[in-house]
Amino acid sequence: MIGSRHRLAAVVGVFATAATVVACGGESAGPGGQAGPPQPGGTLRYGLSQAPSCSDPAQAGSNQSIYVARQIVDSLTDQDPKTGAITPWLARSWEVSPDAKVFTFRLADGVTFSDGTPLTADSVRDTFDAVVRLGGAKAPLGTSYLTNYVGTTAVDKLTARVEFSQPNAQFLQASSTPQLGILGQATNAKPAEARCAGDNVGSGPFTYAEYKQDVSVALAKRAGYHWGSDVFGHEGEAYLDRIEFTVVPESGVRTGSLVSGQLDAISDALPQDAPQIEAVGGRVLSTSNPGTPFGLHTNVTRGPLRDPAVRQALLPALDRQQLVDTVLGPQFKIATSTLASATPAYTDLSARLPYDPAKAKSILDQAGWTPGPDGIRAKNGERLSFSVTFSQVFAGNQAILELVQQQLRQVGVELRLDLVSLPEWTAKMNGKDYDSTYGNSTRADGDILRTSFAVTGRNLNARGPIPALDETLDKQLATNDPAARAELIKTAQQQILDNGLYVPTIELSQAIGAAAGTQDLKFEASARLQFFDTWLSGR
């Protein structure tokens, strides 16, 4: 069984529009001062801004889906949100071979899944094998993390050896993600659609009590849970008895429900709602997402985006500060690279991304794109017009792109907005059926660049080989030394801009509205919510 162990306090600085709440250990700082020691029990009512797309952690892609699915699954490791260090969870220790091809995990004893079956090395093997079977269309992130996966061997009951045919230095961090969370055999044996539709068997601190697709989800506390991550703030079971997630798409309705006491926390709190929330003792908790910021992935095989000059002209054509100031608010940041600033190995490339419409026009002039009667440029009879395919996975997407549309028109570029549902967006991405696509990817590791941009990854640019970039992305996988790997990731960020593969706009931030009685609602390293330490006061 698991003995007592030293715990790392999960200290996350969360920036509110008017106040800062920091919680750690056994005390919680509420808006009115110390709320006292945590009290177990109660039901937390949470308002999601979008419906969860899938109940399966391996297939969950949107933040709203992961907020739910993360709670029912544990991972081999965890990542400290303050330091970025990889820490124990289901695996109490591990070894990585010098060539980064073999990862050996020693599992905690006494862990069980929610159906009562024990966690063993076979569970690790079955989970990773199942992710590979799901494939890149269903589980793009998990599949990318398992690139060149050979297999997992159960060395003994509690020792799993994971092997790759090529170096895979990013895998240790990947083992902390919900997409590679360890699931029970009852879930691993299901086909993809069945895994998305409802109950899944994990070893996490909560279990599915009810799942109504596109409507609501209820989670119940897992009785007897005592194998939490070293990052968690306490040992034993979660404090909350139950979490009820309701889909409330309208921002004003979410805020009103929080203020009136019908909800205890909400997603996507807007800056203008902060005074109303704070007036009743609540607060807005915010943190920046690591990974790739929001931006346009350019399909380099279609329309005018085939021209590298057009892609380069888009970079200085955008006034990113105006996007933040007009659409978002002070808790959001402009994108200053192809990685978000909270990502390990991020490099500030803001000097490459100034707002300079005159430069954008000059690039287009030199490339032969001349303004037409309506101001939109053309070359050899081809209009400088392309579409951007996007969904409303983030509430501000449409307003941001409408402003981007206006900014590009000022330099002679016509941007057409193609708003689709999340399933349609996913299908178009998988089929490369777009001129450009707008989105972001969250991960606290620079390897997210390989996932999104590599010719062997999701390849959202539909590109062919770019030898220098391909070599850099491959080399960082083969580099165990953190400093050397960071230099390679720095180079990759620059090369992506050099080739016009991405047009960054803004960094995504999570802005969570919390009622006065909602304590210790925390962000994990990838800016998703962790409810294990959350408790309710004043009930």
Side-chain angles (χ1 to χ4, degrees), residues 316-492:
L318 298 188
D319 185 346
R320 294 166 179 83
Q321 193 61 54
Q322 186 185 43
L323 299 180
V324 169
D325 294 344
T326 304
V327 178
L328 301 171
Q331 74 267 39
F332 286 85
K333 301 177 181 179
I334 65 170
T336 52
S337 181
T338 48
L339 283 179
S341 57
T343 318
Y346 153 83
T347 298
D348 185 352
L349 299 178
S350 54
R352 298 278 307 275
L353 298 169
Y355 176 50
D356 190 346
K359 180 179 179 180
K361 291 177 181 179
S362 176
I363 293 172
L364 294 172
D365 288 340
Q366 293 177 28
W369 293 92
T370 57
D374 61 353
I376 301 302
R377 295 170 181 264
K379 179 180 179 180
N380 298 328
E382 182 179 24
R383 188 174 172 85
L384 212 176
S385 175
F386 65 92
S387 65
V388 55
T389 300
F390 71 104
S391 74
Q392 286 285 51
V393 290
F394 171 57
N397 278 357
Q398 183 163 351
I400 288 169
L401 288 174
E402 287 173 349
L403 189 50
V404 167
Q405 184 182 49
Q406 297 173 27
Q407 293 175 358
L408 291 182
R409 189 170 189 88
Q410 293 174 9
V411 300
V413 178
E414 180 181 61
L415 180 67
R416 307 186 310 277
L417 306 190
D418 178 26
L419 174 61
V420 298
S421 68
L422 182 57
E424 290 175 308
W425 183 70
T426 301
K428 282 177 172 285
M429 283 203 303
N430 290 337
K432 306 295 186 287
D433 182 21
Y434 50 80
D435 296 338
S436 69
T437 183
Y438 187 75
N440 79 304
S441 292
T442 296
R443 186 185 177 191
D445 190 280
D447 185 66
I448 194 66
L449 297 177
R450 180 186 61 88
T451 300
S452 298
F453 296 99
V455 70
T456 55
R458 298 175 76 186
N459 190 11
L460 295 175
N461 304 101
R463 69 175 177 87
I466 302 176
L469 174 59
D470 295 333
E471 181 181 4
T472 302
L473 294 174
D474 288 342
K475 277 187 175 180
Q476 63 87 23
L477 271 186
T479 305
N480 263 336
D481 178 78
R485 186 164 177 255
E487 281 299 311
L488 290 165
I489 292 171
K490 174 182 178 179
T491 299

Side-chain angles (χ1 to χ4, degrees), residues 2 17 56 72 108 120 123 131 135 158 232 272 318 322 351 357 366 386 397 473:
I2 301 172
T17 53
D56 177 16
I72 67 104
T120 67
S123 309
V131 170
L158 295 177
F232 289 174
Q272 58 265 36
L318 298 188
Q322 186 185 43
Q366 293 177 28
F386 65 92
N397 278 357
L473 294 174

Side-chain angles (χ1 to χ4, degrees), residues 165 242 387:
S165 61
R242 187 176 173 93
S387 65

Side-chain angles (χ1 to χ4, degrees), residues 509-527:
S509 288
Q510 300 305 305
I512 307 301
T518 302
Q519 309 295 336
D520 283 2
L521 186 57
K522 299 176 180 178
F523 296 103
E524 44 96 280
S526 291

